[in-house]
């Protein structure tokens, strides 16, 4: 049994309270590799931002759960080495699929877990979420729950269809589960193909897809039902078109990849939305930099050569999200 406090990590409670009151959102960046971890920490330290480093089940399978936990402990030490005396880093389980996965993470040093029961019948979602909350709260670990279904297909998270969160259910759900934050479905979606071309219009000048707007009316109804309660948005990558274009220019094939416009995420950050999940944009920044580097340097084969610009590109992307989209820069407690 390892408690996250012994690793120098923090849970989400205080940072969410400050984010909701201050009208900004905390970035939740997924990581699978050392370069992603380094880029996240460098960006958070440079901008003086609290940060959530999240690990999916796919990441645990890829990198090994023990290694990821030590990487998070290493992230705290690295942030201090970079000059941040009191970093606020959360190690969060993303899309936990069962009580057992959540318990395993809580027992091995995670400071926050998500139980994703969004595809379960309502009462079953409540029952398992409550079981996770009852266990997690004994160790002061915070719990994210989900109501409503996001569309989009990832390795470990897949749904063909989305169902918006029903505002009339949120009070009952939050009260009966005791969850600390709630992920809702208002039109965001996982992956780099968030909308089909049929769901979008096309910009006549660029030929690029323009996605439909998020359902802010549902978000505002939920805020009214649960004043001040921390709300989470998954599937919030913007799928930067410069990265998509670079990937396509250097041998990739990502036709019609489209994300959530950053202005809408900026607007959401000012509301009770206090955690915004971004994974695909990091994958795109990394892949674009690697493809470009290898195309321009065909004789190079040392991974450090192409992973250096990849790490720099991710760091710049994280800084941009923190400063220009979520507004969490300068928001460390001390
Ligand atoms: O929401 C899902 C995250 O992007 C994680 O994706 O399961 O492919 O690691 P993954
Ligand atoms: P994106 O695929 O939009 O980056 O979403 C990530 C996410 O929601 C992780 O839980
Ligand atoms: Zn997600």
């Amino acid at each position: 049994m390892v408690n996250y406090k012994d690793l120098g990590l923090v849970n989400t409670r205080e940072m969410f309270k400050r984010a909701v009151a201050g009208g900004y959102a905390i970035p939740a960046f997924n990581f699978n590799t050392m370069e992603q971890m380094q880029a996240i920490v460098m960006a958070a330290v440079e901008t003086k931002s609290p940060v959530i480093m999240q690990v999916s089940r796919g990441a645990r399978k890829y990198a090994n759960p023990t290694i990821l936990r030590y990487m998070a402990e290493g992230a705290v030490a690295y942030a201090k080495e970079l000059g941040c005396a009191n970093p606020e880093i959360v190690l969060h389980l993303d899309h936990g699929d069962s009580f057992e996965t959540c318990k395993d993470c809580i027992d091995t040093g995670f400071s926050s877990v998500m139980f994703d029961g969004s595809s379960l019948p309502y009462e079953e979602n409540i029952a398992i979420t409550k079981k996770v909350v009852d266990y997690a709260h004994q160790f002061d670990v915070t719990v994210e729950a989900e109501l409503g279904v996001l569309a989009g297909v990832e390795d470990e998270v897949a749904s063909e269809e989305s169902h918006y969160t029903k505002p009339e259910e949120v009070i009952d759900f939050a009260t009966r589960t005791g969850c600390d934050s709630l992920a809702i479905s208002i039109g965001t979606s996982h992956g780099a193909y968030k909308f089909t071309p049929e769901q979008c219009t096309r910009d006549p000048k660029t030929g690029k897809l323009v996605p439909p707007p998020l359902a802010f009316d549902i978000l505002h109804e939920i805020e009214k039902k649960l004043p001040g309660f921390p709300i989470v948005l998954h599937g919030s990558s913007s799928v930067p078109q410069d990265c998509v274009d670079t990937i396509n220019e250097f041998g990739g094939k990502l036709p019609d990849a489209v994300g959530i416009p950053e202005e809408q995420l900026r607007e959401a950050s000012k509301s009770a939305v206090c955690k915004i999940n971004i994974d695909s944009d990091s994958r795109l920044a990394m892949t674009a930099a690697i493809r470009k580097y290898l195309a321009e340097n065909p004789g190079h084969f040392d991974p450090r050569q192409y992973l250096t610009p990849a790490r720099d590109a991710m760091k710049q992307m994280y800084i941009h999200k923190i400063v220009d989209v979520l507004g969490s820069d300068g928001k460390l407690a001390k």
Side-chain angles (χ1 to χ4, degrees):
M1 178 85 201
V2 186
N3 188 277
Y4 69 88
K5 291 175 187 168
D6 298 330
L7 307 182
L9 299 161
V10 297
N11 69 21
T12 58
R13 195 166 293 122
E14 288 307 312
M15 68 172 70
F16 281 178
K17 219 185 266 174
R18 297 192 324 255
V20 174
Y24 60 92
I26 308 291
F29 299 131
N30 288 68
F31 78 108
N32 296 258
T33 72
M34 182 188 74
E35 289 75 16
Q36 285 175 310
M37 181 275 265
Q38 291 171 313
I40 293 168
V41 174
M42 287 189 274
V45 168
E46 250 176 62
T47 57
K48 299 184 171 48
S49 174
V51 73
I52 298 171
M53 298 183 56
Q54 53 186 19
V55 166
S56 68
R57 282 177 293 129
R60 294 180 93 220
K61 224 190 282 169
Y62 172 75
N64 174 287
T66 310
I67 287 179
L68 287 168
R69 192 250 294 167
Y70 280 102
M71 277 167 74
E73 187 176 0
V76 176
Y78 183 41
K80 289 184 178 169
E81 193 181 310
L82 291 177
C84 181
N86 294 297
E88 288 181 71
I89 299 178
V90 174
L91 176 61
H92 175 77
L93 168 69
D94 192 24
H95 294 286
D97 60 333
S98 64
F99 171 76
E100 289 70 26
T101 310
C102 293
K103 179 179 183 304
D104 189 47
C105 288
I106 293 163
D107 292 350
T108 54
F110 280 62
S111 56
S112 172
V113 293
M114 173 189 195
F115 172 67
D116 179 356
S118 59
S119 59
L120 298 174
Y122 184 71
E123 288 297 332
E124 213 176 313
N125 188 0
I126 288 188
I128 304 176
T129 304
K130 179 168 171 20
K131 191 173 169 190
V132 172
V133 169
D134 288 346
Y135 187 76
H137 282 181
Q138 294 177 66
F139 307 98
D140 207 17
V141 168
T142 39
V143 178
E144 175 183 328
E146 180 163 344
L147 249 191
V149 180
L150 269 70
V153 179
E154 293 284 273
D155 293 352
E156 299 277 333
V157 183
S159 176
E160 294 291 315
E161 257 184 88
S162 77
H163 304 283
Y164 286 163
T165 304
K166 296 181 186 144
E168 63 275 19
E169 288 180 346
V170 297
I171 295 178
D172 182 62
F173 187 87
T175 312
R176 286 172 62 199
T177 61
C179 64
D180 300 285
S181 59
L182 183 65
I184 60 167
S185 172
I186 56 166
T188 60
S189 151
H190 289 111
Y193 293 90
K194 300 196 182 298
F195 305 99
T196 61
E198 294 71 44
Q199 291 172 302
C200 301
T201 52
R202 235 175 240 284
D203 182 324
K205 276 196 214 125
T206 60
K208 295 278 188 188
L209 295 177
V210 180
L214 297 179
F216 279 99
D217 52 336
I218 294 182
L219 170 60
H220 296 319
E221 258 188 83
I222 291 170
E223 280 184 304
K224 265 189 226 146
K225 304 253 182 212
L226 293 174
F229 194 81
I231 299 297
V232 177
L233 288 188
H234 281 247
S236 296
S237 277
S238 307
V239 187
Q241 291 301 301
D242 55 335
C243 290
V244 173
D245 291 344
T246 303
I247 289 172
N248 290 337
E249 184 186 339
F250 293 103
K253 214 172 181 183
L254 296 178
D256 288 339
V258 64
I260 310 296
E262 288 184 339
E263 315 81 75
Q264 295 188 34
L265 297 170
R266 210 172 285 131
E267 190 180 334
S269 300
K270 292 179 188 148
S271 72
V273 169
C274 63
K275 171 175 181 269
I276 290 194
N277 286 13
I278 295 171
D279 185 1
S280 299
D281 284 356
S282 164
R283 298 175 180 191
L284 291 164
M286 186 180 212
T287 301
I290 292 174
R291 276 196 181 278
K292 182 169 187 293
Y293 184 91
L294 290 178
E296 290 173 350
N297 299 279
H300 288 186
F301 62 93
D302 179 342
R304 291 172 297 187
Q305 291 172 313
Y306 54 83
L307 289 174
T308 299
R311 189 172 57 195
D312 287 346
M314 289 189 287
K315 178 186 160 189
Q316 290 315 319
M317 188 277 292
Y318 294 137
I319 290 177
H320 165 65
K321 298 288 177 182
I322 288 170
V323 174
D324 303 321
V325 186
L326 279 66
S328 63
D329 51 310
K331 300 299 194 300
L332 285 174
K334 309 180 218 164

